[in-house]
């Protein structure tokens, strides 16, 4: 199989994974793989050039688009889908404490969660804040 085809397969896999995570970082890797495929078509057999130029593209995209994505996120009306979880109710699937994260189901999604006070499996919680991948929750005493 031609190397450019392998680069395109890698790019397709990265694009698929990007659609699952929505982080933009895998998109930049995808674009770097596409550039490496183009370099292979233009300069066949130069794997080092493909890797170096593809990597340079990834680094440039990561550095220069950080400001753009940050300003987009600070723009009026933007709300991250994860930030929308704050205030929502869920059910604990595994016990959680401040030291040992548990698993919580909020809507149709499951998240790692910590709580200052121990929360047991099956208890209803409310999301009070979020970290990068962990929700801060507390017991919810109201009726839904």
């Amino acid at each position: 199989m031609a190397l450019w085809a392998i680069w395109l397969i890698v790019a397709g896999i990265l694009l698929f994974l990007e659609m699952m995570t929505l982080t933009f970082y895998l998109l930049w890797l995808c674009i770097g793989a596409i550039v490496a495929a183009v370099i292979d078509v233009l300069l066949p057999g130069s794997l080092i050039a493909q890797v170096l130029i593809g990597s340079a593209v990834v680094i440039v995209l990561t550095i220069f688009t950080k400001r753009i994505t940050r300003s987009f996120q600070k723009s009026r009306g933007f709300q991250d889908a994860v930030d929308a979880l704050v205030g929502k109710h869920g059910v604990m699937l595994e016990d959680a404490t401040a030291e040992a994260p548990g698993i919580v189901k909020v809507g149709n999604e499951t998240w790692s969660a910590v709580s200052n006070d121990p929360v047991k499996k099956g208890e209803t919680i409310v999301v009070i804040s979020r970290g990068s991948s962990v929700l801060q929750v507390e017991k919810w005493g109201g009726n839904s």
Side-chain angles (χ1 to χ4, degrees):
M1 181 179 281
L3 192 54
W4 63 266
I6 294 172
W7 282 118
L8 290 180
I9 290 169
V10 168
I13 292 169
L14 289 167
L15 183 61
F16 174 77
L17 293 173
E18 172 60 36
M19 293 300 149
M20 297 290 132
T21 62
L22 301 173
T23 60
F24 282 114
Y25 296 116
L26 295 176
L27 180 62
W28 306 153
L29 291 172
C30 170
I31 292 170
I34 292 170
V35 169
V38 170
I39 297 301
D40 185 54
V41 169
L42 298 175
L43 303 169
S46 59
L47 181 62
I48 294 174
Q50 296 164 30
V51 171
L52 289 177
I53 294 171
S55 297
V57 168
V58 171
I59 291 169
V60 167
L61 286 172
T62 301
I63 291 171
F64 289 108
T65 58
K66 191 69 168 172
R67 272 186 261 147
I68 295 169
T69 56
R70 195 174 295 135
S71 66
F72 175 72
Q73 290 175 345
K74 291 180 181 178
S75 68
R76 190 175 190 177
F78 175 81
Q79 185 176 17
D80 189 343
V82 179
D83 288 333
L85 292 173
V86 175
K88 295 211 175 187
H89 301 276
V91 176
M92 290 303 300
L93 300 178
E94 291 181 11
D95 297 354
T97 64
E99 298 82 30
I103 305 292
V104 65
K105 183 171 184 171
V106 180
N108 293 327
E109 301 175 338
T110 56
W111 291 85
S112 294
V114 293
S115 176
N116 291 335
D117 299 318
V119 182
K120 301 289 182 197
K121 178 179 177 179
E123 291 183 323
T124 302
I125 56 88
V126 63
V127 179
I128 55 175
S129 68
R130 69 128 180 156
S132 58
S133 64
V134 178
L135 300 178
Q136 178 74 31
V137 301
E138 63 183 24
K139 289 181 191 177
W140 186 64
N143 296 323
S144 51

